[in-house]
Amino acid sequence: MSPVAPAVHRRRLLQGSATFGGLGLFGLGGCATAGSSLAGPPTGAMGAAARSFTPLAPVRAERDRIFDVTVCLRPFRAAGPRLDTEEIGDAFVVHNYGHGGSGWSLSWGSGTIAVGKAMSKSPRKIAVIGCGALGLTSAILAQRAGAEVTIYAKELLPQARSARATGSWTPDSRIALTDVAGPAFGELWEEMARTSFKTYRNYLGLPGKPVEWTDRYSVNDEEHSGHGPLKPGELDFGEYADRIRDLTPRWEAMAPGSTPFQAPFVRRTSSMQFNIADYGHTLMSDFLLAGGKIERREFHIPADIAALPEKVVINCPGYGGRALWKDESIVPVRGQIQWLIPQPEVNYGVYYKEVSVLSRTDGIVVQAVEGGDMKGYKNEAEIPDRGETDRAVAVVAELYGSRFSARG
Ligand SMILES: Cc1cc2nc3c(=O)[nH]c(=O)nc-3n(C[C@H](O)[C@H](O)[C@H](O)COP(=O)(O)OP(=O)(O)OC[C@H]3O[C@@H](n4cnc5c(N)ncnc54)[C@H](O)[C@@H]3O)c2cc1C
């Protein structure tokens, strides 16, 4: 285990912070907040690679290229994801929900823990409730552990909330509150993050690019100036990224003129991204090819689950756990994405003026991220805000209209 990072209030960076709107160490993930990764000196700063010109294709941020606007709720729990077990009638239920803005990133690690608990009962058959990031990965892991698995869910992945995520490696995005989760959570988090990271290795280099590594840029007029204190009313979302600092590259400062971005402070890193259309399809196919069954069903109370034929159940309802389990510890954190038509020639992400952009195979994700982790907190409105769309796309248009020169 790596040493615990010193406690810092990373969530409110001072003006000029070169981060992905609080998408810190892990890049553009729509959810993470300002990372301490920029607090220290960047590695490779002004090195040879940073000096040679890196050509990049521009994003076409035109209003009529917006082909969708989606909204999703992060299932946030101050204490971190629920992974305990309980008996409902004669059913043994293992919970696996409440992963905030880190559900995709932590899914394999969290699922490994949940499946371990489920397999302690040596079941032949397992039921998984939910067909989002957590349900699908838990189901596949349970199959690999030797169980026959049926997924029961109201909505399957393309409709489930997980399909509306950014698709970035953001394992400590709105995953817990520092004080509520306590120091022990850091170890559990690290176990989940490391297991997930390793498992994602299996999905790299495949046709359709379900998972890939891409560069992320941060374009700023002012130099990163360190962490500021939390503002009144702001919550101290837990930061655990330093525990796995060895896994991912750090930010490097780019020499002026070495990228098409015309700003005094341009930084670059690389991060893993999930192209969710293809990745989700891959997961669904893998599950079905291994003999998995899927049944569309809605549950209203826990006793409905106890009535299933399977007596070992992994419960992955995401935000749906709030109603199904009457679990008011789940708080919604709203997030909105505007989708620009895919541009395969754009193979990077960028953060500029509190708007993040990530080019995926299934569309270009544009997100307003002002306010950091507090943005969308306790907001359960799942309807698009057109004003937010206009503002976010206008910022991207400004970046590519006046601060981008393809020839350096
Ligand atoms: C804008 C945004 C961007 C994000 N970006 C990222 C990112 O880049 N990286 C990352 O790691 N995470 C990201 N997240 C977080 C991530 O999307 C969530 O943590 C994750 O989707 C949670 O997955 P889940 O499987 O628990 O829930 P869900 O995807 O909501 O799946 C729940 C499943 O349970 C079913 N269900 C629920 N209730 C019932 C019921 N009563 N009966 C039957 N079935 C039920 C649903 O139909 C569904 O199939 C983002 C979130 C948002 C909002």
Side-chain angles (χ1 to χ4, degrees), residues 31 72 100-101 103-105 131 134 154-155 162 166-168 170 297 299:
C31 336
C72 170
W104 280 107
S105 307
C131 194
L134 276 301
K154 191 169 67 171
E155 292 155 320
S162 290
T166 310
S168 248
T170 57
R297 187 161 334 166
F299 302 93

Side-chain angles (χ1 to χ4, degrees), residues 31-45:
C31 336
T33 51
S36 61
S37 54
L38 290 167
T43 55

Side-chain angles (χ1 to χ4, degrees), residues 242-309:
D242 278 343
R243 302 184 73 108
I244 56 167
R245 177 76 65 209
D246 54 306
L247 293 183
T248 49
R250 297 191 181 208
W251 289 88
E252 60 177 334
M254 304 298 285
S258 65
T259 76
F261 297 112
Q262 309 289 301
F265 299 98
V266 178
R267 291 170 190 254
R268 180 177 68 186
T269 189
S270 298
S271 187
M272 209 161 38
Q273 76 177 59
F274 318 126
N275 294 308
I276 292 177
D278 193 274
Y279 178 49
H281 186 73
T282 302
L283 295 180
M284 290 284 275
S285 304
D286 286 356
F287 174 69
L288 293 169
L289 279 171
K293 298 194 185 87
I294 299 181
E295 200 176 309
R296 296 285 288 268
R297 187 161 334 166
E298 180 167 5
F299 302 93
H300 300 284
I301 51 170
D304 295 344
I305 288 170
L308 291 172

Side-chain angles (χ1 to χ4, degrees), residues 26 28-32 70-76 96-107 128-137 151-157 159-175 200 272-274 276 295-301 304-305 315-325 333-337 358 360 365 367:
F26 300 110
L28 290 156
C31 336
T70 57
V71 182
C72 170
L73 305 179
R74 300 170 182 89
F76 174 73
N96 189 16
Y97 67 77
H99 297 75
S102 307
W104 280 107
S105 307
L106 294 177
S107 57
V128 171
I129 311 302
C131 194
L134 276 301
L136 263 175
T137 50
I151 291 177
Y152 298 89
K154 191 169 67 171
E155 292 155 320
L156 309 186
L157 186 56
Q159 284 75 44
R161 289 192 174 96
S162 290
R164 305 194 287 274
T166 310
S168 248
W169 170 250
T170 57
D172 74 342
S173 158
R174 294 157 163 130
I175 190 63
Y200 270 117
M272 209 161 38
Q273 76 177 59
F274 318 126
I276 292 177
E295 200 176 309
R296 296 285 288 268
R297 187 161 334 166
E298 180 167 5
F299 302 93
H300 300 284
I301 51 170
D304 295 344
I305 288 170
N315 184 40
C316 312
Y319 185 67
R322 187 177 162 98
L324 179 58
W325 238 264
V333 186
R334 179 188 188 277
Q336 173 168 318
I337 292 176
L358 179 62
R360 277 180 19 192
V365 172
Q367 273 175 284

